[in-house]
Amino acid sequence: MKHVPFVILAILLLCMGCTTGGDDDLETGTPQYMPAIEDQLFVLTNAYRAANGLNVLELHAGVRNVARNHSLDMAQRDYFNHTSPEGLNAGDRLNQACIAFSAWGENIGLVAGYSDPAQKVMDEWQASAEHRAVLLEPSFTLGGVGVVKTGDFYYFTQVLIRP
């Protein structure tokens, strides 16, 4: 399998002084999946692609799980990188999940202190040439988003692929 050359991207870290409320598990830092925010970001991604004359992506459950697992891993092991401490990138994680692909792209984000974290990370990705290139890669047809919240921090992973 080969990957698109722009896969390793600039890292996005946005933290502001304000915080958002949540239940006790979230406040104590127990990582929680955030499926509504995942869905929101997937919709925002497709709207952005459509506005730029591109095909919309189909949600792929396996790719979503790869993205979720990377967000969870970053939250649990306190790192923020496209590459895991073991040196695995999104292509490696897709292979481990037995997902066939010919190209892949990944965006990650870490956001705290915003009432709409999905919109904030999307705005920042659109403003970054490297992230925008992944969002607007015309050959990508499938994708998934994983969002994990721990404390006030939202860890985002978006994986897009061409089968």
Side-chain angles (χ1 to χ4, degrees):
M1 303 288 169
K2 65 179 184 173
H3 65 277
V4 177
F6 52 78
V7 173
I8 304 302
L9 302 173
I11 295 173
L12 171 66
L13 175 60
L14 303 167
C15 297
M16 299 296 284
C18 57
T19 61
T20 59
D23 63 29
D24 290 339
D25 284 343
L26 296 179
E27 293 306 316
T28 62
T30 302
Q32 299 288 318
Y33 291 116
M34 306 300 290
I37 295 174
E38 294 169 348
D39 293 342
Q40 179 189 2
L41 185 55
F42 199 78
V43 168
L44 290 169
T45 298
N46 274 333
Y48 185 60
R49 288 176 64 87
N52 283 276
L54 298 174
N55 61 296
V56 295
L57 303 165
E58 181 181 332
L59 179 62
H60 186 286
V63 174
R64 180 183 228 180
N65 286 336
V66 167
R68 279 181 170 171
N69 289 339
H70 186 56
S71 289
L72 180 62
D73 188 49
M74 289 189 295
Q76 287 179 327
R77 298 201 294 164
D78 195 28
Y79 74 95
F80 183 69
N81 201 308
H82 291 279
T83 305
S84 73
E86 294 76 29
L88 301 177
N89 63 30
D92 300 319
R93 293 186 288 274
L94 289 162
N95 282 328
Q96 287 179 338
C98 299
I99 297 171
F101 63 94
S102 59
W104 60 270
E106 178 180 74
N107 286 328
I108 61 173
L110 180 60
V111 176
Y114 291 91
S115 61
D116 190 348
Q119 185 63 62
K120 180 59 180 171
V121 81
M122 187 66 179
D123 291 345
E124 294 299 325
W125 288 348
Q126 290 173 354
S128 159
E130 294 87 1
H131 292 93
R132 190 171 54 252
V134 172
L135 292 168
L136 297 179
E137 171 53 47
S139 70
F140 293 150
T141 58
L142 303 173
V145 174
V147 181
V148 170
K149 184 171 193 258
T150 183
D152 292 330
F153 293 91
Y154 294 86
Y155 289 81
F156 288 84
T157 303
Q158 177 185 66
V159 179
L160 309 180
I161 65 170
R162 176 179 64 221

